[in-house]
Amino acid sequence: MKQSSIKEIFSSTYIEADLKLIAEKVINKERLKPEEGVLLYEKGDLGFLGSLANYVKEQKTGPYVYFNRNFHIEPTNICVFDCKFCSYSRLVKQKDDAWALSEEEILQLVHNYEGKPVTEVHIVGGVHPKMGLHYFAELIRKIKIIRPDIHVKAFTAVELEYMCRKAKVSYEEGLRILKEHGQDSLPGGGAEIFDEQIRKEICEDKCTSAQWLEIHETAHRLGMPSNATMLYGHVEKYEHRIDHMHRLRNLQDKTKGFNTFIPLKFRNQDNQMSHIAEVSVIEDLKNYAVSRIYMDNFAHLKAYWPMIGRNTAQLSLNFGVDDIDGTIDDSTKIYSMAGSEEQSPKLSTQQLVELIKQAGRHPIERDTVYNTITDYMLVDFKTEQTLS
Ligand code: V47
Ligand code: SF4
């Protein structure tokens, strides 16, 4: 949309003056202040936020919506930490649904994907007291022997903080070892909400916000990109979400190492925060929109469909989202155990492509760092031919 017509939309008399000023700033590519971010949440209605977020998205990535072909390895759900929102972790020998895969079992999972066109393996799990830095470094080396071409996106800052502490190495040394063994990037988990008071309420015993940010900064310095998540819709307030995004925006200014911002909706099944009601789909869409508008230096915004559900993920494509993660099969349990409607998350490439096209967007299969692998506007599924 041309700047003049978008300006006309946002100068409508039905929009309050302070929101008009924010829209004007966004169109002029001026950075929003934290209080303006909070105001968007408090006063912006869904139509206004969607239009503005859409405008920002299209300025950044045009009509494209990205996905990748990946699979997940969750080595264990045994965890030394006790996050109140977690439905997935088990204490050592706590319940019969605790698992810890052997190295052989993990490598077998990699073998299972031989010949399949996956480009990424995402390794994340509980923080097991006995699976340490050197064990995981060797594991990654062995994965790369089986699949030299695969991108290994592994270990949240929470897992890395524990591994480095146990191995008595600095974050830099630990990450260097993992990189030398084949780890390519970091996923965005473990960030939750950076506000120290909220963090104390929901995940007191794991890595601090400062440690999370330091680990990602170190990874970026070593040439390992990463993602960043935000767990929302529990006890936090809008100002905490904006504070979280603000800290990430500041680090991104410094390192430019983040690929994607991924808001994660709190799901309330079977965890210590089950008494907290989940937020509405309207709130999910508002949150995507405000994230897109506020995080001006993040190239991409991801809706993780196995968690949010495919229908909301599809809607989010008109609220600033340009990425819906991957065509994973049911190799992740984090969300099904927390109550996601996607109990066995599986979408074929064709289904994912259709979902994106139905939203009026242009589907692109990407690699982890957003290089185009296939332009699906050019693929005819009936003949499996690429149109030229
Ligand atoms: O850090 C745990 C979240 C995260 C619940 O980088 C919950 O591409 C909602 O970070 N309700 C781990 N969320 C998963 C993660 C991730 C997922 C997909 C892609 C990427 C990426 C990263 O899962 C945890 C925590 O914030 N989580 N329990 C719950 N009940
Ligand atoms: Fe452990 Fe991660 Fe669950 Fe926290 S969210 S208890 S660190 S598995």
Side-chain angles (χ1 to χ4, degrees):
M1 206 182 285
K2 275 208 225 114
Q3 286 218 0
S4 54
S5 51
I6 192 98
K7 271 192 178 151
E8 277 156 29
I9 293 175
F10 292 117
S11 60
S12 147
T13 47
Y14 302 111
I15 299 172
E16 290 189 40
D18 40 10
L19 288 177
K20 276 185 202 166
L21 281 177
I22 292 181
E24 189 88 23
K25 276 182 90 169
V26 171
I27 292 162
N28 293 332
K29 296 199 169 24
E30 286 172 47
R31 179 157 272 193
L32 297 189
K33 295 190 187 119
E35 54 273 26
E36 291 167 325
V38 174
L39 201 120
L40 283 176
Y41 274 122
E42 285 174 349
K43 283 198 177 171
D45 67 27
L46 201 54
F48 170 83
L49 292 174
S51 309
L52 197 56
N54 229 353
Y55 172 78
V56 175
K57 182 252 175 279
E58 285 174 8
Q59 292 289 305
K60 287 190 180 292
T61 53
Y64 302 119
V65 168
Y66 300 90
F67 66 93
N68 72 345
R69 295 208 223 199
N70 63 2
F71 66 101
H72 286 219
I73 296 178
E74 291 172 3
T76 181
N77 67 343
I78 291 172
C79 190
V80 297
F81 296 122
D82 183 28
C83 304
K84 305 288 176 256
F85 53 79
C86 184
S87 321
Y88 161 90
S89 68
R90 301 290 179 257
L91 298 173
V92 183
K93 293 192 188 141
Q94 184 193 19
K95 285 195 185 173
D96 31 352
D97 54 357
W99 77 83
L101 302 180
S102 66
E103 183 186 273
E104 214 181 353
E105 287 170 316
I106 294 175
L107 295 177
Q108 185 53 49
L109 289 174
V110 182
H111 278 296
N112 292 348
Y113 285 88
E114 266 176 285
K116 295 192 182 158
V118 288
T119 58
E120 174 190 284
V121 55
H122 179 169
I123 309 174
V124 70
V127 180
H128 193 293
K130 295 217 168 95
M131 292 180 177
L133 178 73
H134 299 289
Y135 167 77
F136 279 124
E138 264 306 291
L139 182 74
I140 291 175
R141 191 182 65 79
K142 289 176 184 164
I143 291 174
K144 280 281 172 90
I145 292 173
I146 302 169
R147 206 61 204 256
D149 57 318
I150 208 149
H151 180 109
V152 176
K153 180 174 82 182
F155 312 126
T156 65
V158 175
E159 293 165 282
L160 290 164
E161 185 279 325
Y162 186 81
M163 272 183 222
C164 292
R165 180 153 44 98
K166 284 278 163 175
K168 298 191 170 44
V169 297
S170 66
Y171 301 146
E172 175 150 349
E173 214 175 319
L175 283 164
R176 209 181 279 285
I177 291 170
L178 291 165
K179 187 173 185 230
E180 281 164 6
H181 284 74
Q183 180 170 338
D184 298 291
S185 68
L186 274 57
E192 321 312 357
I193 282 282
F194 289 144
D195 177 85
E196 280 71 13
Q197 191 50 43
I198 301 289
R199 205 167 178 84
K200 200 167 171 213
E201 282 177 50
I202 66 172
C203 55
E204 178 168 35
D205 55 355
K206 73 179 180 190
C207 86
T208 63
S209 307
Q211 287 169 329
W212 192 100
L213 290 163
E214 189 184 341
I215 289 169
H216 282 256
E217 182 171 355
T218 309
H220 298 171
R221 203 169 52 239
L222 296 178
M224 299 164 90
S226 70
N227 293 332
T229 58
M230 173 176 77
L231 183 72
Y232 71 94
H234 42 89
V235 295
E236 91 290 359
K237 298 206 163 54
Y238 289 145
E239 70 217 48
H240 301 126
R241 293 191 206 171
I242 291 293
D243 167 68
H244 187 90
M245 291 188 229
H246 197 72
R247 297 194 205 191
L248 289 170
R249 204 173 71 171
N250 287 345
L251 181 54
Q252 179 75 328
D253 276 344
K254 208 166 155 188
T255 66
K256 304 190 174 41
F258 289 113
N259 283 326
T260 318
F261 182 54
I262 315 166
L264 295 171
K265 175 192 185 130
F266 164 66
R267 310 304 307 239
N268 68 3
Q269 190 175 296
D270 205 15
N271 57 47
Q272 296 171 67
M273 286 163 55
S274 291
H275 56 284
I276 297 173
E278 291 180 2
V279 296
S280 66
V281 172
I282 303 275
E283 186 61 31
D284 295 330
L285 297 175
K286 275 179 74 171
N287 189 61
Y288 283 122
V290 176
S291 304
R292 182 58 290 170
I293 297 165
Y294 197 78
M295 303 290 268
D296 57 7
N297 55 2
F298 273 64
H300 303 285
L301 177 68
K302 185 190 285 191
Y304 184 54
W305 71 263
M307 179 267 281
I308 197 103
R310 63 195 73 186
N311 295 332
T312 307
Q314 190 178 36
L315 278 173
S316 75
L317 301 183
N318 283 293
F319 290 83
V321 166
D322 73 322
D323 187 331
I324 46 177
D325 202 77
T327 55
I328 61 162
D329 56 25
D330 57 3
S331 53
T332 176
K333 297 195 177 63
I334 296 180
Y335 295 106
S336 53
M337 289 171 84
S340 167
E341 41 280 271
E342 300 287 350
Q343 283 302 299
S344 174
K346 198 178 171 95
L347 267 182
S348 68
T349 303
Q350 184 168 1
Q351 286 171 309
L352 205 61
V353 164
E354 282 311 316
L355 186 149
I356 295 168
K357 282 188 181 169
Q358 281 165 7
R361 296 297 196 198
H362 185 136
I364 300 280
E365 182 190 339
R366 61 162 175 87
D367 66 11
T368 309
V369 292
Y370 291 83
N371 295 306
T372 297
I373 294 182
T374 306
D375 180 341
Y376 272 93
M377 257 350 197
L378 303 176
V379 172
D380 180 351
F381 281 102
K382 284 194 202 102
T383 58
E384 303 241 340
Q385 300 258 310
T386 302
L387 312 169
S388 51

